Amino acid sequence: MVENRRWHNLITHLVLLLGGFIIVFPIWIAFVASTHSSDAFTSGLIPLLPGNQLIDNYSNLLTHGINNAVGGPVAKMLFNSLVMALLIAFGKIIISFMSAYAIVYFQFPFRRTVFWLIFLTLMLPVEVRIIPTYKVVADLGMLNSYAGLSIPLIASATATFLFRQFFLTVPDELLEAARIDGSGPLQFLFNILLPLSRTTIAALFVIQFIYGWNQYLWPLLITTDESFYTIVMGIQRMVTVSDSDPQWHMIMATAILALLPPLVVVALMQKLFVKGLVEIEK
């Protein structure tokens, strides 16, 4: 039973407004800072309204970057992060989908053991195996490349587990009907299983895209060429400049730009994301 009292609704809306304000206010301050000149925030008074340097700051940042910080134009770093995030997201989904499909629908010796071996890799994130992974990537000549940025992060036991759990909920009658109709394994995969997994794939894509976009340690380790720096690396290098003060208004503008792609992905795929998570929980 849900009580319909006016003051309950009022308190609920006040709590929502307070939560929204706590989340949005720092982002608003960062945006305001990105629209002012460099001395606006060194005077001791923080402006709360946008300034008149919006176009100049963002255009200079995208095309030239910050003069006293390495990394080059922010547009290039955004592109690198986008490529890395997309490769990681699609790579994780494809590999996990195929591995879960093999585990659930194919009979082979030690099938359950193989699944649990994949699951145990959850205990070995990249940070734990970073030295041998770096050695392999270096020996294969993949340093300073998109392949080196993404391939070591593609395998995902979590995604394999989620796909496996979803496939186990698919009725066996569908598989039997496909066999009666003469469908082979690939036809069943592409014509039946893939469309049914649409929302699960969408939910995993959002999660893995944000995971790839926020990567910092691995790109920092394997990239020495500025043309392969990611946006997260760029922000860190803008803050730690030598022989001068950080240009906080440009750093805030970079942070705002770095926030936009994940925000767009979540906004565009919100319905599929929520629906996919609900189906995964089932």
Side-chain angles (χ1 to χ4, degrees):
M1 179 179 178
V2 179
E3 295 186 12
N4 187 17
R5 295 182 180 178
R6 191 171 181 180
W7 62 274
H8 277 174
N9 293 332
L10 179 62
I11 293 176
T12 302
H13 282 82
L14 287 176
V15 170
L16 287 174
L17 288 174
L18 178 62
F21 176 79
I22 293 173
I23 294 173
V24 172
F25 186 70
I27 300 174
W28 172 253
I29 291 297
F31 172 72
V32 170
S34 69
T35 61
H36 285 270
S37 59
S38 59
D39 55 352
F41 280 77
T42 58
S43 61
L45 297 176
I46 299 178
L48 296 178
L49 296 176
N52 57 0
Q53 300 294 315
L54 173 66
I55 297 177
D56 291 341
N57 287 346
Y58 280 89
S59 61
N60 289 333
L61 200 60
L62 288 170
T63 55
H64 302 293
I66 298 180
N67 294 331
N68 61 345
V70 296
V74 169
K76 178 61 177 174
M77 290 189 282
L78 287 170
F79 176 77
N80 292 340
S81 291
L82 182 65
V83 172
M84 180 182 175
L86 289 175
L87 288 175
I88 290 175
F90 283 116
K92 278 180 179 288
I93 289 172
I94 292 172
I95 291 178
S96 302
F97 188 89
M98 298 304 293
S99 59
Y101 177 65
I103 290 171
V104 174
Y105 290 101
F106 286 82
Q107 300 292 332
F108 56 88
F110 306 111
R111 183 177 61 160
R112 187 178 295 273
T113 304
V114 170
F115 168 70
W116 285 112
L117 285 176
I118 295 174
F119 197 74
L120 285 175
T121 60
L122 282 174
M123 302 177 186
L124 296 172
V126 173
E127 290 77 9
V128 174
R129 51 184 168 84
I130 198 164
I131 294 178
T133 304
Y134 177 84
K135 180 68 167 56
V136 172
V137 170
D139 291 344
L140 293 175
M142 293 196 300
L143 297 177
N144 293 315
S145 68
Y146 293 122
L149 283 170
S150 56
I151 289 178
L153 304 178
I154 280 179
S156 174
T158 304
T160 303
F161 175 75
L162 294 177
F163 276 124
R164 174 185 177 271
Q165 296 307 106
F166 173 73
F167 292 164
L168 291 176
T169 65
V170 176
D172 294 336
E173 289 77 7
L174 279 177
L175 179 60
E176 295 299 326
R179 284 174 176 168
I180 293 173
D181 288 341
S183 299
L186 289 179
Q187 290 174 311
F188 174 72
L189 172 66
F190 288 107
N191 296 335
I192 297 177
L193 208 54
L194 194 59
L196 288 176
S197 308
R198 185 172 61 101
T199 53
T200 305
I201 291 173
L204 284 172
F205 176 81
V206 173
I207 295 171
Q208 302 304 339
F209 180 87
I210 296 174
Y211 165 82
W213 184 269
N214 291 332
Q215 282 297 309
Y216 170 69
L217 181 59
W218 181 247
L220 180 67
L221 189 65
I222 72 158
T223 54
T224 54
D225 186 347
E226 289 186 6
S227 61
F228 287 97
Y229 283 0
T230 61
I231 190 66
V232 180
M233 291 175 61
I235 293 174
Q236 190 273 337
R237 291 176 183 274
M238 292 174 187
V239 174
T240 57
V241 292
S242 58
D243 302 329
S244 62
D245 293 328
Q247 298 186 40
W248 289 108
H249 63 303
M250 301 297 265
I251 295 172
M252 292 298 107
T254 308
I256 293 295
L257 290 172
L259 181 68
L260 293 180
L263 195 63
V264 170
V265 170
V266 172
L268 292 178
M269 304 184 70
Q270 183 182 8
K271 290 184 179 178
L272 290 174
F273 177 65
V274 174
K275 192 174 179 181
L277 288 181
V278 172
E279 289 183 354
I280 288 172
E281 289 177 357
K282 289 180 179 178

